[in-house]
Amino acid sequence: MSNKTVVVMGVANERSIAWGIAKSLHRHGAKLIFTYRKERSYEKLTKLLADSGIEPRLTVSCDVSDDRSVEAAFARIGSEAGVVHGVVHSLAFADKEELQGEFVNTSRSGYMLAQDASAYSLVAVAREAKKIMTEGGALVTQSYIGAERVVKNYNVMGVAKAALEAGVRYLAEDLGKYGIRVNAVSAGPIRTLAAKGVSGFNEIMSLAESRAPLRKNVDQDEVGDATMFLLSDLSRGITGEVLHVDSGFHILG
Ligand code: NDP
Ligand code: N5H
């Protein structure tokens, strides 16, 4: 990855999947650009980078629910850092109240918010990133098996991830002609800030440990390395794919 510049979106703290990805990319020589939303994430990120000796090429704010913010972030990245070869979209949001009980009770506003922040955001990011990916490259997003199957409490986020995965396929078709690949990683459960306090998380972690073919949960580094692979030329023949990094849990009936 030594001749590549990658934008990493979604580091909130040291537990973030995006941080596992950033570490793997750094180990493999990529130049890194970070985006964050909350000031708190910026502070955490700055400290993490300093502690791990990673010097970012640039760090910019970006709220993916705001078109102008996405446009401004990628315009700034283009003007200050030049050509980009990869983008990591590792973010999602839904109201906590929508992540419990019955899906049938999902509110219109809760549905729209989850779709907007978690699925449409990839479209907005792809459109702006494409303008500065003039040498081709790859986009990788993060999904979960709740996109394909009914997982208790995942509810509105399952429908948003289904849209995200379909979006990956449509974007892969559009951007393929520019040499840009679009893929998703579908990760097993990992204890992160977003996962904190959501109903049923601990039970799902235990289930994977006892039943997944590898009899263990995955961690940020495993997801990080697989995502790095999808950003690298080693995966140059792969686009529109959803790669499960879940200790094999998805093969079970
Ligand atoms: P984190 O809490 O570490 O990361 C979530 C990130 O989403 C935060 O950095 C947050 O930034 C960002 N975010 C939310 N809304 C917005 C927005 N509107 N604009 C910009 N950034 C936003 O959790 P994870 O690392 O777990 O989550 C990363 C991805 O991985 C998500 O897509 C999640 O669905 C997916 N995933 C997670 C699994 C898990 O078990 N943890 C399993 C499978 C998939 P800020 O705090 O600054 O707003
Ligand atoms: C089946 C499960 C457990 C139940 C569902 C969990 C869904 C989690 C996804 C979203 C992203 C969580 C979320 O938006 C939480 C927010 O309402 C509150 N949290 C925050 O605002 C924190 C501070 C910030 C950092 O979070 C965000 N999102 O910005 C799924 C789990 C087994 C696996 C899992 C946790 C999947 C996933 O997609 O994250």
Side-chain angles (χ1 to χ4, degrees), residues 12 37-38 92-96 99 144 151-154 157 161 189-190 192-196 198-201 204:
R37 176 174 61 160
K38 293 188 192 137
F93 193 90
D95 278 334
K96 221 166 216 173
L99 301 169
Y144 179 63
V151 177
K152 195 168 182 316
N153 296 324
Y154 203 59
M157 189 52 72
K161 291 297 192 190
I190 300 181
T192 61
L193 191 56
K196 205 172 168 182
V198 294
S199 309
F201 180 77
I204 290 173

mmCIF file of all heavy atoms in Angstrom, residues 12 37-38 92-96 99 144 151-154 157 161 189-190 192-196 198-201 204, ligand 2:
data_model
loop_
_atom_site.group_PDB
_atom_site.id
_atom_site.type_symbol
_atom_site.label_atom_id
_atom_site.label_comp_id
_atom_site.label_asym_id
_atom_site.label_seq_id
_atom_site.Cartn_x
_atom_site.Cartn_y
_atom_site.Cartn_z
ATOM 1 N N ALA A 12 -13.884 6.430 16.279
ATOM 2 C CA ALA A 12 -14.418 7.126 17.452
ATOM 3 C C ALA A 12 -13.473 6.942 18.639
ATOM 4 O O ALA A 12 -13.349 7.817 19.484
ATOM 5 C CB ALA A 12 -15.809 6.617 17.801
ATOM 6 N N ARG A 37 -16.714 13.014 12.977
ATOM 7 C CA ARG A 37 -17.865 13.910 13.119
ATOM 8 C C ARG A 37 -17.779 14.699 14.427
ATOM 9 O O ARG A 37 -17.644 15.898 14.420
ATOM 10 C CB ARG A 37 -19.185 13.138 13.042
ATOM 11 C CG ARG A 37 -20.386 14.060 13.280
ATOM 12 C CD ARG A 37 -21.704 13.384 13.073
ATOM 13 N NE ARG A 37 -21.938 12.270 13.962
ATOM 14 C CZ ARG A 37 -23.139 11.775 14.231
ATOM 15 N NH1 ARG A 37 -24.207 12.296 13.653
ATOM 16 N NH2 ARG A 37 -23.280 10.752 15.050
ATOM 17 N N LYS A 38 -17.800 13.967 15.549
ATOM 18 C CA LYS A 38 -17.835 14.678 16.838
ATOM 19 C C LYS A 38 -16.447 15.143 17.268
ATOM 20 O O LYS A 38 -15.461 14.449 17.030
ATOM 21 C CB LYS A 38 -18.420 13.760 17.918
ATOM 22 C CG LYS A 38 -19.885 13.433 17.694
ATOM 23 C CD LYS A 38 -20.451 12.687 18.888
ATOM 24 C CE LYS A 38 -21.810 12.102 18.576
ATOM 25 N NZ LYS A 38 -21.966 10.750 19.085
ATOM 26 N N ALA A 92 -22.210 4.166 10.939
ATOM 27 C CA ALA A 92 -23.645 3.877 10.870
ATOM 28 C C ALA A 92 -24.287 4.572 12.060
ATOM 29 O O ALA A 92 -23.607 4.873 13.048
ATOM 30 C CB ALA A 92 -23.881 2.371 10.971
ATOM 31 N N PHE A 93 -25.582 4.816 11.937
ATOM 32 C CA PHE A 93 -26.301 5.383 13.086
ATOM 33 C C PHE A 93 -27.787 5.043 13.020
ATOM 34 O O PHE A 93 -28.404 5.109 11.960
ATOM 35 C CB PHE A 93 -26.143 6.911 13.162
ATOM 36 C CG PHE A 93 -26.613 7.452 14.487
ATOM 37 C CD1 PHE A 93 -25.728 7.562 15.547
ATOM 38 C CD2 PHE A 93 -27.951 7.774 14.691
ATOM 39 C CE1 PHE A 93 -26.163 8.007 16.799
ATOM 40 C CE2 PHE A 93 -28.398 8.222 15.928
ATOM 41 C CZ PHE A 93 -27.508 8.335 16.984
ATOM 42 N N ALA A 94 -28.331 4.678 14.176
ATOM 43 C CA ALA A 94 -29.786 4.538 14.338
ATOM 44 C C ALA A 94 -30.114 4.936 15.771
ATOM 45 O O ALA A 94 -29.268 4.769 16.670
ATOM 46 C CB ALA A 94 -30.225 3.099 14.085
ATOM 47 N N ASP A 95 -31.317 5.454 15.984
ATOM 48 C CA ASP A 95 -31.744 5.779 17.350
ATOM 49 C C ASP A 95 -31.817 4.501 18.165
ATOM 50 O O ASP A 95 -32.330 3.482 17.689
ATOM 51 C CB ASP A 95 -33.125 6.444 17.331
ATOM 52 C CG ASP A 95 -33.013 7.923 17.012
ATOM 53 O OD1 ASP A 95 -31.951 8.509 17.298
ATOM 54 O OD2 ASP A 95 -33.987 8.475 16.456
ATOM 55 N N LYS A 96 -31.340 4.587 19.388
ATOM 56 C CA LYS A 96 -31.311 3.418 20.267
ATOM 57 C C LYS A 96 -32.699 2.791 20.451
ATOM 58 O O LYS A 96 -32.838 1.571 20.499
ATOM 59 C CB LYS A 96 -30.723 3.811 21.618
ATOM 60 C CG LYS A 96 -29.799 2.764 22.160
ATOM 61 C CD LYS A 96 -28.976 3.279 23.309
ATOM 62 C CE LYS A 96 -27.598 2.673 23.237
ATOM 63 N NZ LYS A 96 -26.662 3.208 24.181
ATOM 64 N N LEU A 99 -33.658 0.041 18.145
ATOM 65 C CA LEU A 99 -32.848 -1.176 18.129
ATOM 66 C C LEU A 99 -33.286 -2.142 19.227
ATOM 67 O O LEU A 99 -32.474 -2.817 19.850
ATOM 68 C CB LEU A 99 -31.363 -0.801 18.277
ATOM 69 C CG LEU A 99 -30.834 0.130 17.173
ATOM 70 C CD1 LEU A 99 -29.463 0.676 17.523
ATOM 71 C CD2 LEU A 99 -30.793 -0.597 15.824
ATOM 72 N N TYR A 144 -23.231 -6.061 8.375
ATOM 73 C CA TYR A 144 -23.464 -7.069 9.417
ATOM 74 C C TYR A 144 -24.491 -8.067 8.878
ATOM 75 O O TYR A 144 -25.338 -7.705 8.059
ATOM 76 C CB TYR A 144 -23.961 -6.382 10.705
ATOM 77 C CG TYR A 144 -24.257 -7.350 11.835
ATOM 78 C CD1 TYR A 144 -23.245 -8.128 12.383
ATOM 79 C CD2 TYR A 144 -25.555 -7.497 12.321
ATOM 80 C CE1 TYR A 144 -23.517 -9.031 13.393
ATOM 81 C CE2 TYR A 144 -25.837 -8.397 13.345
ATOM 82 C CZ TYR A 144 -24.803 -9.159 13.869
ATOM 83 O OH TYR A 144 -25.070 -10.063 14.870
ATOM 84 N N VAL A 151 -32.018 -10.737 12.725
ATOM 85 C CA VAL A 151 -31.272 -10.863 13.975
ATOM 86 C C VAL A 151 -32.004 -10.010 15.008
ATOM 87 O O VAL A 151 -32.252 -8.817 14.771
ATOM 88 C CB VAL A 151 -29.815 -10.363 13.806
ATOM 89 C CG1 VAL A 151 -29.063 -10.441 15.139
ATOM 90 C CG2 VAL A 151 -29.086 -11.175 12.739
ATOM 91 N N LYS A 152 -32.374 -10.640 16.118
ATOM 92 C CA LYS A 152 -33.155 -9.953 17.158
ATOM 93 C C LYS A 152 -32.553 -8.589 17.504
ATOM 94 O O LYS A 152 -31.329 -8.478 17.679
ATOM 95 C CB LYS A 152 -33.213 -10.837 18.408
ATOM 96 C CG LYS A 152 -34.246 -10.450 19.426
ATOM 97 C CD LYS A 152 -34.372 -11.580 20.451
ATOM 98 C CE LYS A 152 -35.386 -11.397 21.504
ATOM 99 N NZ LYS A 152 -35.542 -10.188 22.179
ATOM 100 N N ASN A 153 -33.387 -7.584 17.559
ATOM 101 C CA ASN A 153 -33.043 -6.205 17.935
ATOM 102 C C ASN A 153 -32.312 -5.388 16.848
ATOM 103 O O ASN A 153 -32.220 -4.167 16.968
ATOM 104 C CB ASN A 153 -32.193 -6.135 19.218
ATOM 105 C CG ASN A 153 -32.950 -6.642 20.425
ATOM 106 O OD1 ASN A 153 -34.153 -6.418 20.528
ATOM 107 N ND2 ASN A 153 -32.270 -7.336 21.317
ATOM 108 N N TYR A 154 -31.780 -6.039 15.831
ATOM 109 C CA TYR A 154 -31.028 -5.267 14.830
ATOM 110 C C TYR A 154 -32.001 -4.408 13.992
ATOM 111 O O TYR A 154 -31.662 -3.326 13.526
ATOM 112 C CB TYR A 154 -30.180 -6.200 13.956
ATOM 113 C CG TYR A 154 -29.004 -5.501 13.308
ATOM 114 C CD1 TYR A 154 -28.021 -4.875 14.076
ATOM 115 C CD2 TYR A 154 -28.856 -5.477 11.918
ATOM 116 C CE1 TYR A 154 -26.940 -4.242 13.488
ATOM 117 C CE2 TYR A 154 -27.777 -4.852 11.318
ATOM 118 C CZ TYR A 154 -26.817 -4.234 12.105
ATOM 119 O OH TYR A 154 -25.747 -3.613 11.505
ATOM 120 N N MET A 157 -31.696 -1.273 11.557
ATOM 121 C CA MET A 157 -30.331 -1.278 11.042
ATOM 122 C C MET A 157 -30.136 -2.436 10.059
ATOM 123 O O MET A 157 -29.342 -2.322 9.118
ATOM 124 C CB MET A 157 -29.332 -1.361 12.212
ATOM 125 C CG MET A 157 -27.897 -1.151 11.827
ATOM 126 S SD MET A 157 -27.552 0.332 10.873
ATOM 127 C CE MET A 157 -27.761 1.536 12.136
ATOM 128 N N LYS A 161 -28.667 -1.915 6.435
ATOM 129 C CA LYS A 161 -27.490 -2.650 5.926
ATOM 130 C C LYS A 161 -27.839 -3.402 4.636
ATOM 131 O O LYS A 161 -26.981 -3.563 3.762
ATOM 132 C CB LYS A 161 -26.963 -3.621 6.983
ATOM 133 C CG LYS A 161 -26.323 -2.951 8.203
ATOM 134 C CD LYS A 161 -25.081 -2.139 7.883
ATOM 135 C CE LYS A 161 -24.334 -1.743 9.145
ATOM 136 N NZ LYS A 161 -23.271 -0.761 8.899
ATOM 137 N N PRO A 189 -19.799 -9.784 15.574
ATOM 138 C CA PRO A 189 -19.953 -8.779 16.622
ATOM 139 C C PRO A 189 -18.626 -8.423 17.301
ATOM 140 O O PRO A 189 -17.836 -9.299 17.635
ATOM 141 C CB PRO A 189 -20.893 -9.443 17.630
ATOM 142 C CG PRO A 189 -20.772 -10.900 17.375
ATOM 143 C CD PRO A 189 -20.484 -11.045 15.907
ATOM 144 N N ILE A 190 -18.404 -7.129 17.484
ATOM 145 C CA ILE A 190 -17.192 -6.612 18.143
ATOM 146 C C ILE A 190 -17.622 -5.529 19.124
ATOM 147 O O ILE A 190 -18.422 -4.647 18.772
ATOM 148 C CB ILE A 190 -16.217 -6.006 17.098
ATOM 149 C CG1 ILE A 190 -15.789 -7.065 16.078
ATOM 150 C CG2 ILE A 190 -15.000 -5.397 17.787
ATOM 151 C CD1 ILE A 190 -14.808 -6.571 15.027
ATOM 152 N N THR A 192 -17.695 -2.350 20.493
ATOM 153 C CA THR A 192 -17.244 -0.984 20.167
ATOM 154 C C THR A 192 -18.189 0.014 20.832
ATOM 155 O O THR A 192 -19.183 -0.390 21.446
ATOM 156 C CB THR A 192 -17.274 -0.750 18.637
ATOM 157 O OG1 THR A 192 -18.628 -0.904 18.190
ATOM 158 C CG2 THR A 192 -16.375 -1.711 17.878
ATOM 159 N N LEU A 193 -17.906 1.295 20.656
ATOM 160 C CA LEU A 193 -18.756 2.321 21.261
ATOM 161 C C LEU A 193 -20.186 2.237 20.715
ATOM 162 O O LEU A 193 -21.159 2.334 21.473
ATOM 163 C CB LEU A 193 -18.152 3.707 20.976
ATOM 164 C CG LEU A 193 -18.737 4.894 21.719
ATOM 165 C CD1 LEU A 193 -18.693 4.679 23.226
ATOM 166 C CD2 LEU A 193 -17.951 6.168 21.355
ATOM 167 N N ALA A 194 -20.334 2.046 19.407
ATOM 168 C CA ALA A 194 -21.682 1.956 18.812
ATOM 169 C C ALA A 194 -22.446 0.764 19.382
ATOM 170 O O ALA A 194 -23.673 0.816 19.538
ATOM 171 C CB ALA A 194 -21.582 1.846 17.291
ATOM 172 N N ALA A 195 -21.723 -0.310 19.698
ATOM 173 C CA ALA A 195 -22.372 -1.536 20.192
ATOM 174 C C ALA A 195 -22.725 -1.422 21.678
ATOM 175 O O ALA A 195 -23.507 -2.218 22.193
ATOM 176 C CB ALA A 195 -21.435 -2.727 19.988
ATOM 177 N N LYS A 196 -22.160 -0.398 22.338
ATOM 178 C CA LYS A 196 -22.318 -0.278 23.789
ATOM 179 C C LYS A 196 -23.777 -0.031 24.175
ATOM 180 O O LYS A 196 -24.430 0.867 23.632
ATOM 181 C CB LYS A 196 -21.448 0.894 24.286
ATOM 182 C CG LYS A 196 -21.048 0.766 25.717
ATOM 183 C CD LYS A 196 -20.045 1.838 26.064
ATOM 184 C CE LYS A 196 -19.872 1.883 27.568
ATOM 185 N NZ LYS A 196 -18.948 2.926 27.965
ATOM 186 N N VAL A 198 -26.427 -1.611 23.519
ATOM 187 C CA VAL A 198 -27.536 -2.073 22.678
ATOM 188 C C VAL A 198 -28.015 -3.433 23.187
ATOM 189 O O VAL A 198 -27.207 -4.273 23.599
ATOM 190 C CB VAL A 198 -27.185 -2.128 21.160
ATOM 191 C CG1 VAL A 198 -26.942 -0.742 20.608
ATOM 192 C CG2 VAL A 198 -26.007 -3.033 20.893
ATOM 193 N N SER A 199 -29.341 -3.627 23.159
ATOM 194 C CA SER A 199 -29.920 -4.849 23.726
ATOM 195 C C SER A 199 -29.455 -6.088 22.980
ATOM 196 O O SER A 199 -29.415 -6.096 21.749
ATOM 197 C CB SER A 199 -31.449 -4.790 23.652
ATOM 198 O OG SER A 199 -31.893 -3.586 24.186
ATOM 199 N N GLY A 200 -29.102 -7.108 23.718
ATOM 200 C CA GLY A 200 -28.822 -8.416 23.124
ATOM 201 C C GLY A 200 -27.402 -8.596 22.612
ATOM 202 O O GLY A 200 -27.062 -9.663 22.090
ATOM 203 N N PHE A 201 -26.562 -7.586 22.768
ATOM 204 C CA PHE A 201 -25.203 -7.682 22.212
ATOM 205 C C PHE A 201 -24.397 -8.813 22.860
ATOM 206 O O PHE A 201 -23.764 -9.614 22.161
ATOM 207 C CB PHE A 201 -24.466 -6.342 22.359
ATOM 208 C CG PHE A 201 -23.080 -6.382 21.805
ATOM 209 C CD1 PHE A 201 -22.861 -6.316 20.436
ATOM 210 C CD2 PHE A 201 -21.985 -6.521 22.641
ATOM 211 C CE1 PHE A 201 -21.578 -6.370 19.913
ATOM 212 C CE2 PHE A 201 -20.699 -6.576 22.126
ATOM 213 C CZ PHE A 201 -20.494 -6.498 20.757
ATOM 214 N N ILE A 204 -25.281 -12.295 21.652
ATOM 215 C CA ILE A 204 -24.811 -12.588 20.290
ATOM 216 C C ILE A 204 -23.314 -12.888 20.295
ATOM 217 O O ILE A 204 -22.842 -13.783 19.584
ATOM 218 C CB ILE A 204 -25.189 -11.435 19.335
ATOM 219 C CG1 ILE A 204 -26.702 -11.460 19.138
ATOM 220 C CG2 ILE A 204 -24.468 -11.549 18.004
ATOM 221 C CD1 ILE A 204 -27.272 -10.317 18.371
HETATM 222 C C1 N5H B 2 -28.052 -7.477 16.886
HETATM 223 C C2 N5H B 2 -27.178 -6.609 17.344
HETATM 224 C C3 N5H B 2 -27.395 -5.878 18.626
HETATM 225 C C4 N5H B 2 -28.534 -4.840 18.549
HETATM 226 C C5 N5H B 2 -28.345 -3.776 17.512
HETATM 227 C C6 N5H B 2 -27.291 -2.957 17.438
HETATM 228 C C7 N5H B 2 -27.058 -2.022 16.347
HETATM 229 C C8 N5H B 2 -26.018 -1.204 16.309
HETATM 230 C C9 N5H B 2 -25.725 -0.290 15.181
HETATM 231 C C10 N5H B 2 -25.824 1.198 15.403
HETATM 232 C C11 N5H B 2 -24.753 1.837 14.556
HETATM 233 C C12 N5H B 2 -25.697 1.606 16.862
HETATM 234 C C13 N5H B 2 -26.068 3.047 17.150
HETATM 235 O O1 N5H B 2 -26.313 3.834 16.268
HETATM 236 C C14 N5H B 2 -26.061 3.447 18.611
HETATM 237 C C15 N5H B 2 -26.528 4.875 18.854
HETATM 238 O O2 N5H B 2 -27.935 4.945 18.897
HETATM 239 C C16 N5H B 2 -26.023 5.355 20.249
HETATM 240 N N1 N5H B 2 -24.559 5.369 20.311
HETATM 241 C C17 N5H B 2 -23.835 6.470 19.997
HETATM 242 O O3 N5H B 2 -24.337 7.519 19.624
HETATM 243 C C18 N5H B 2 -22.323 6.304 20.036
HETATM 244 C C19 N5H B 2 -21.770 7.290 21.054
HETATM 245 C C20 N5H B 2 -21.776 6.540 18.624
HETATM 246 C C21 N5H B 2 -20.277 6.382 18.536
HETATM 247 O O4 N5H B 2 -22.399 5.557 17.794
HETATM 248 C C22 N5H B 2 -22.642 5.865 16.477
HETATM 249 N N2 N5H B 2 -23.276 4.935 15.784
HETATM 250 O O5 N5H B 2 -22.293 6.913 16.006
HETATM 251 C C23 N5H B 2 -25.966 -6.230 16.535
HETATM 252 C C24 N5H B 2 -24.630 -6.473 17.198
HETATM 253 C C25 N5H B 2 -24.476 -7.922 17.616
HETATM 254 C C26 N5H B 2 -23.502 -6.134 16.196
HETATM 255 C C27 N5H B 2 -23.382 -4.654 15.870
HETATM 256 C C28 N5H B 2 -23.106 -3.730 17.006
HETATM 257 C C29 N5H B 2 -23.552 -4.270 14.592
HETATM 258 C C30 N5H B 2 -23.385 -2.898 14.054
HETATM 259 O O6 N5H B 2 -23.816 -2.662 12.906
HETATM 260 O O7 N5H B 2 -22.778 -2.038 14.711
#
